[in-house]
Each structure stands twice: as structure tokens, then as C-alpha cells.
Amino acid sequence: ENDDFTYLRDEALNGNKLMTNRLISNTILEKDKFFVYLTLINQRLLKLNEVRSLENDTSIESGVNNLKPPIFWKDKPIFLNQAKKWNLQKINKNLNKIYNLEITLKSNSLIDGNILIKGLLLEICLIANA
């Protein structure tokens, strides 16, 4: 069973340990898409970073509404929940982890990226709850 990776990413960013573990075991990550998966996580963290940076001027909800391009209406409640859990320090820490993981995957083709990406998702889930 290959669940949608964005759903797995969202559950990890929400800090939902039970669903993240279930989705990790049910999701098949394709080897040729490892960098796409890292990009999807990175893009979401950058959007969260943008909202949290605007937070001083406005509330989180109005910051989300002012994002360009706008967040899709179905994704808005999930994104708002994530924005409330993540601060700038956590976001920057995980952006650095993604960067280092990407360098590791690009520099050594013998490393199993499947395990590394799933490990990253578990770390993200734990940090979301910290």
C-alpha cells in the first residue's frame, strides 16, 4: 500500500506519532523520488517559516491568509495546526537536517535513503511535540 507522501509529511509535522508510525510502515518510498520527498518537506517548512516570521505583525491566521501563493483551502486547517506547533528555532533546525541529509544522499549512492528519510520523518514528529 502506497499512501500519499504529503499525508505522511503532514502527520509528521503535526506530531501525530501513531499515524506517522502507521503511515511510515505502509508507505513505499521510491528510490528515484528521494529528493522530491525532501523538497516537499522543505517547502512546507519554508512556508511555516514565512508565516512564523510574519507573526510579529499579525496573527497566525491572518499570516496564512496573506501568503502568496495562497494555501489550498483543504490544506488550511492542517497548515494552521502545524504553524501553531512550530517555532522559528524548530523550523531552522529541521531545515538544516534536510540540507545535511540531501548532501549525504548525493555524496554516497550506497546509503539506503529509504531508512534516512523515514528516520527524518520520525525526528520531525518528535520535534513537533517538543
Side-chain angles (χ1 to χ4, degrees):
E1 180 177 331
N2 189 6
D3 290 325
D4 191 15
F5 183 79
T6 56
Y7 187 59
L8 172 57
R9 175 203 65 192
D10 288 340
E11 291 300 326
L13 288 169
N14 279 330
N16 188 345
K17 293 178 187 176
L18 182 66
M19 279 304 293
T20 301
N21 283 327
R22 186 174 300 147
L23 289 170
I24 281 177
S25 65
N26 291 337
T27 302
I28 299 167
L29 300 178
E30 298 176 34
K31 185 176 182 167
D32 58 336
K33 292 186 179 180
F34 287 155
F35 299 109
V36 173
Y37 302 140
L38 290 176
T39 302
L40 288 171
I41 299 168
N42 198 35
Q43 285 175 342
R44 178 53 62 104
L45 286 172
L46 289 173
K47 281 288 188 187
L48 289 170
N49 191 24
E50 189 177 339
V51 167
R52 295 303 281 190
S53 298
L54 295 173
E55 184 183 9
N56 295 336
D57 302 332
T58 60
S59 68
I60 292 176
E61 288 83 9
S62 61
V64 170
N65 291 331
N66 292 331
L67 283 176
K68 300 291 182 207
I71 301 294
F72 186 59
W73 65 271
K74 281 186 175 181
D75 206 19
K76 235 179 214 182
I78 296 166
F79 187 82
L80 280 170
N81 191 25
Q82 291 169 354
K84 291 175 184 172
K85 286 193 172 223
W86 288 85
N87 60 34
L88 290 173
Q89 183 182 5
K90 289 182 189 179
I91 292 169
N92 289 328
K93 183 179 180 180
N94 279 292
L95 287 172
N96 286 331
K97 283 184 182 186
I98 293 169
Y99 175 75
N100 291 331
L101 180 59
E102 186 173 350
I103 288 174
T104 302
L105 288 172
K106 286 181 177 178
S107 63
N108 191 345
S109 62
L110 300 176
I111 291 178
D112 188 4
N114 196 12
I115 293 171
L116 293 176
I117 291 177
K118 288 182 177 183
L120 173 70
L121 288 166
L122 288 174
E123 286 181 44
I124 288 172
C125 184
L126 292 174
I127 291 172
N129 290 320

